[in-house]
Amino acid sequence: MSPAEARRAPWTEALAAAERRERSLAIALLSACAGFVALWPYTSVIAAGTWSFVSVAVIIVVAATGAVVRYLGARRRGRDALALLAQVVVAVCALTSILLPQTAALGIIPTASTIRALTPLTADALEQVQFGTAPLDDTLPLRTMIAIGFAVITILIDHLVSQRLALLAVILVAAIGATPTIISLGDANIPWFVLLAVLTLFLLRHSTRHDRRRARRASAGVALGVGAAAIACALVVTPVLPVSANWVGAGTAVALNPSLRLGDDLRRPTPTDVITLATTAAAAPYLRIATLSGFDGRVWHADEGDTQPLTDGFGDGEWADDIAAAERRTSIRVVGVSSSWLPVPYPATKVAGTSTGWEIMPGNRTVVSETRDAAGEDYTVTAATVQPTLEQIRASSTELGPDDETPSEDLPRVITETAREVTADAENDYDRMIALQAWFRSGFTYSLDAPVDGGFDGTGVDAVAEFLEVQSGYCIHFAGAFALMAQSLDLPVRIVVGYLPGRLADEKRGDEFVYVVSSDQLHAWPEVRFEGIGWVPFEPTASLGVPTAFQPASVEGDSTTGPTTPAPSAAPTTAPTSGAELDDELDDSSAAGGGSLQRLDPLPVMLVTAGVLLVLLLPALIRLFVRMWRRSRARDGDAVIAWRELRATLTDLGLPVSDADSPRARGLGLIERGADAEAVHALVDAMERASYAPRPERAGDLTPALSRVSADLHHQVDARSRTVAFLLPRSLFALDTSRVAAYS
């Protein structure tokens, strides 16, 4: 080593150490900030509590661990692998010490007891998310799952940033952060989107700064200008885009979960149309999504059973041959429900017209799919209207089967004693259910707010007991209380989640009446199984629908009225509805006509698509205008501007550009790359005259030569480079030093 090199060595080592420290710190800061940005939206769906402190602490610990390991092992191969291992170990120990110290050795080292404790915590957290309503309570199970999730997310982001995969890191943060808004169907969090945009700029800046292929000097002004323009476009243009109420898609569809947590959907201030149907019957049927038979004391669980293809049919009916049954057909179009359950009347016997992927659950005659979404489906259902006489249903038994839920011994006394008291005068099971139905409808009131104000918005035994005392609630409380009271009387009972019949439109499709179902007509009702008849629905909810009432055989005409053939009801009224409501405000496009119940409005799709394309093509459009201006100057003989455009083309295509080259040296390099020699000489001569002549004169039209050289350069690179040069022109972000180099 020479004396000069020996003197420079300490400075070189110091600079290298400073660079390692700076890069390690930058990765840690960006990873932590990305974790915080992804975490922020969850504060709107989870109540304030310890969970946020734990999650923030885990994010900081993971990011700091990565920074320390990368700095200490900067000269070692596999430092990222060492960082990953250290982050996993530290995160596990930190989570154990904060959340489950009682199961750990020395309060920090996880043991087999720690692993076993995670199983019930995971189950409780999933149940809380599935059946809870926002904001969720800050519980240990939820706190644990959130903390573990963000530990994993922060580790992934940290290593994506380290590998300069900024785009993947941004996508991950955006997907995690947008999840609460998508699931809860909440309003867009504009400040969060702005913060995400700022984070994206910093991540991209870090990625390009440590990329050897980047331009040596960058124009911060141009970069900030493009970023600000994109953010402004998103904030200004998006809110003014019209959104059609008929637009079928994930953005406007109501996400339906077949649990008895319907309050948030029913309390939506602006209901939307979700289903249209057409039928020749005098009234539209109830539509069911799923049935719930299992009850664990807190929630009712949706039935799960074997499924079979639609082509296999639903099988034989549950009703005996001596029970009258009329067949009816209903055409259904789902226009605003996102669900893996298909709305159908009961008891369905045939479904036609659906897309592939739907299957039948014969046990409850519902239609489900693991791969399809109900939104946009257009199909026809054939169903039976079972019409036993009053004598037949009174004579039918209701014995519990081997698969039926048995009454719990832990039911509050108010439930069991009230059930016996209300049904004391009834002589058969049907009359007992009619007595229960009449008791609910006559002495209770319908209210969406009373359960929330009273703190019993649920279907658990405690909530039902409180509901029986307050005597005010909505469909899930009526159905849940009816079901538990019927169960206490040893009757086979289940709860159905679906929709009320809907409102009558003012137009017809041929001989069929058209009905429209809105999102606030989501409903729940109980059913009791009668041998030889099947599952019979009842309507205990005060002021909704029509109560079940079968007629004796001596009465002519229809022998039954009830939830299978009710008059439509759109909202609670002071008395049961008896006729269909005319909907004067229904748009003509949703009425029947030409075989279509509702049409897709293409305007929002076109506008949103145009907006996205505008943002994506913004750099290309700016580069196009710059190129057009420069070529207009080149047409007037401005050699400096023509030379500047040639340099920009080289930069866009990723070809090497050295500002130390003279025009002649650069021209020789272009000819070696295959550019037309005559065109290159024309540009070089014009540039040399403009740079060195005592009295520079403008050359002739340089556009043909510039276009020829540019075309030759494009032919020398592959398609990927040409595409990148068009969509993301590097010359916009690189500082143009050609005006200095030209005279050097």
Side-chain angles (χ1 to χ4, degrees):
M1 178 184 299
S2 66
E5 292 176 341
R7 287 193 300 269
R8 288 195 301 268
W11 292 99
T12 304
E13 178 63 27
L15 290 174
E19 184 177 354
R20 292 197 302 269
R21 182 168 58 251
E22 179 185 351
R23 186 168 185 269
S24 301
L25 183 60
I27 293 174
L29 287 176
L30 287 173
S31 302
C33 290
F36 297 150
V37 172
L39 179 67
W40 178 13
Y42 289 81
T43 59
S44 64
V45 294
I46 305 177
T50 311
W51 73 271
S52 56
F53 164 77
V54 174
S55 300
V56 169
V58 169
I59 291 173
I60 294 175
V61 168
V62 168
T65 301
V68 172
V69 173
R70 286 192 182 91
Y71 176 69
L72 296 178
R75 293 185 173 183
R76 299 179 182 178
R77 299 181 61 183
R79 58 182 178 274
D80 286 327
L82 289 175
L84 174 61
L85 179 61
Q87 287 173 323
V88 171
V89 172
V90 171
V92 169
C93 293
L95 290 171
T96 303
S97 64
I98 297 175
L99 299 170
L100 299 171
Q102 67 277 9
T103 66
L106 304 177
I108 191 172
I109 302 175
T111 63
S113 299
T114 307
I115 304 302
R116 287 194 296 269
L118 289 177
T119 301
L121 288 175
T122 303
D124 290 344
L126 291 176
E127 181 177 299
Q128 186 177 355
V129 172
Q130 183 178 3
F131 300 108
T133 54
L136 300 174
D137 294 332
D138 177 23
T139 61
L140 178 60
L142 187 61
R143 190 183 313 145
T144 302
M145 292 304 104
I146 291 291
I148 293 175
F150 275 94
V152 174
I153 291 167
T154 307
I155 292 174
L156 289 175
I157 294 174
D158 182 87
H159 287 270
L160 289 175
V161 174
S162 174
Q163 298 299 320
R164 301 190 302 277
L165 299 174
L167 184 58
L168 292 180
V170 171
I171 293 174
L172 178 60
V173 173
I176 299 299
T179 298
T181 302
I182 295 173
I183 293 178
S184 63
L185 297 176
D187 295 332
N189 187 345
I190 299 300
W192 178 79
F193 278 103
V194 173
L195 192 59
L196 177 64
V198 173
L199 173 68
T200 301
L201 293 178
F202 277 100
L203 287 172
L204 292 174
R205 174 61 176 164
H206 175 270
S207 178
T208 56
R209 184 178 180 184
H210 294 88
D211 190 344
R212 296 178 179 178
R213 297 169 297 177
R214 76 185 192 281
R216 287 301 177 185
R217 301 182 64 182
S219 173
V222 174
L224 291 176
V226 173
I231 295 174
C233 182
L235 295 179
V236 175
V237 175
T238 302
V240 301
L241 291 177
V243 178
S244 171
N246 300 332
W247 186 4
V248 180
T252 57
V254 176
L256 182 61
N257 190 323
S259 66
L260 295 185
R261 307 295 300 187
L262 312 182
D264 290 341
D265 295 295
L266 295 174
R267 283 186 284 266
R268 290 183 183 277
T270 53
T272 59
D273 294 341
V274 294
I275 300 171
T276 56
L277 58 92
T279 180
T280 56
Y286 277 47
L287 299 177
R288 66 181 51 214
I289 299 292
T291 61
L292 301 88
S293 300
F295 182 68
D296 61 7
R298 293 185 298 173
V299 295
W300 290 83
H301 298 283
D303 295 330
E304 297 180 355
D306 296 333
T307 60
Q308 61 190 38
L310 277 174
T311 53
D312 292 350
F314 289 87
D316 297 333
E318 297 89 351
W319 53 95
D321 293 338
D322 59 339
I323 302 297
E327 188 177 89
R328 67 165 182 264
R329 296 179 62 190
T330 305
S331 299
I332 302 172
R333 178 145 188 209
V334 182
V335 296
V337 176
S338 178
S339 170
S340 55
W341 287 263
L342 211 57
V344 294
Y346 182 81
T349 58
K350 182 181 179 181
V351 178
T354 61
S355 56
T356 59
W358 292 99
E359 295 184 326
I360 290 173
M361 192 179 294
N364 58 4
R365 292 181 178 265
T366 57
V367 182
V368 300
S369 176
E370 295 182 353
T371 59
R372 305 295 300 186
D373 193 317
E377 289 287 348
D378 193 346
Y379 52 98
T380 300
V381 182
T382 302
T385 302
V386 183
Q387 301 173 332
T389 64
L390 180 61
E391 293 82 5
Q392 287 175 322
I393 196 168
R394 280 177 169 173
S396 177
S397 63
T398 55
E399 296 180 359
L400 290 172
D403 298 329
D404 292 321
E405 190 82 6
T406 56
S408 173
E409 298 179 357
D410 299 329
L411 289 177
R413 293 180 58 185
V414 65
I415 297 177
T416 56
E417 291 179 357
T418 303
R420 288 195 294 268
E421 179 182 343
V422 172
T423 61
D425 297 334
E427 298 180 355
N428 55 73
D429 291 334
Y430 171 73
D431 288 342
R432 292 187 183 93
M433 297 301 95
I434 293 297
L436 275 180
Q437 176 180 261
W439 181 71
F440 279 112
R441 295 183 68 89
S442 61
F444 287 63
T445 59
Y446 185 98
S447 173
L448 291 171
D449 299 323
V452 177
D453 297 338
F456 61 92
D457 194 11
T459 54
V461 292
D462 295 333
V464 169
E466 183 68 19
F467 167 68
L468 294 178
E469 295 291 337
V470 176
Q471 296 192 348
S472 181
Y474 54 96
C475 60
I476 68 167
H477 305 97
F478 287 94
F482 186 104
L484 289 182
M485 294 172 74
Q487 201 175 80
S488 71
L489 299 174
D490 295 327
L491 273 67
V493 65
R494 68 186 183 189
I495 295 177
V496 182
V497 174
Y499 284 95
L500 288 165
R503 63 185 185 273
L504 182 64
D506 56 358
E507 293 191 22
K508 298 174 63 178
R509 190 181 73 175
D511 295 334
E512 296 179 326
F513 295 95
V514 177
Y515 296 83
V516 180
V517 181
S518 60
S519 58
D520 61 347
Q521 292 181 294
L522 193 60
H523 193 47
W525 64 92
E527 290 183 336
V528 177
R529 189 182 67 246
F530 289 82
E531 294 297 327
I533 296 175
W535 290 94
V536 176
F538 292 86
E539 184 57 280
T541 303
S543 75
L544 276 184
V546 176
T548 295
F550 291 95
Q551 302 297 326
S554 58
V555 177
E556 296 182 358
D558 291 343
S559 61
T560 179
T561 62
T564 53
T565 57
S569 176
T573 57
T574 56
T577 57
S578 58
E581 298 177 356
L582 287 177
D583 180 24
D584 295 332
E585 298 179 359
L586 184 64
D587 188 273
D588 291 342
S589 63
S590 64
S596 175
L597 295 181
Q598 192 158 357
R599 294 178 297 176
L600 175 68
D601 183 1
L603 181 60
V605 179
M606 295 171 60
L607 290 175
V608 171
T609 302
V612 172
L613 289 176
L614 177 62
V615 172
L616 293 177
L617 295 176
L618 185 60
L621 293 174
I622 295 175
R623 180 69 178 94
L624 176 62
F625 288 128
V626 171
R627 183 184 302 113
M628 291 172 60
W629 175 79
R630 287 175 177 168
R631 292 200 174 190
S632 67
R633 296 287 299 273
R635 187 175 297 108
D636 295 334
D638 192 330
V640 174
I641 295 298
W643 197 255
R644 197 175 298 166
E645 172 60 23
L646 179 60
R647 181 185 187 280
T649 301
L650 290 168
T651 303
D652 292 340
L653 295 174
L655 298 175
V657 179
S658 175
D659 292 334
D661 290 341
S662 65
R664 185 163 299 184
R666 183 173 297 173
L668 292 175
L670 294 174
I671 294 174
E672 291 177 356
R673 289 188 171 276
D676 182 76
E678 183 179 353
V680 171
H681 287 312
L683 294 174
V684 170
D685 291 344
M687 187 61 186
E688 287 180 337
R689 285 196 300 271
S691 302
Y692 309 123
R695 293 182 180 180
E697 296 181 358
R698 286 187 176 270
D701 186 1
L702 298 175
T703 304
L706 181 61
S707 300
R708 179 62 183 271
V709 174
S710 178
D712 291 341
L713 292 175
H714 278 78
H715 291 153
Q716 297 303 314
V717 298
D718 55 19
R720 178 181 179 277
S721 298
R722 290 195 296 270
T723 303
V724 172
F726 174 75
L727 296 176
L728 294 173
R730 296 179 177 90
S731 60
L732 291 181
F733 307 96
L735 184 62
D736 189 356
T737 59
S738 61
R739 66 181 65 187
V740 177
Y743 299 99
S744 60

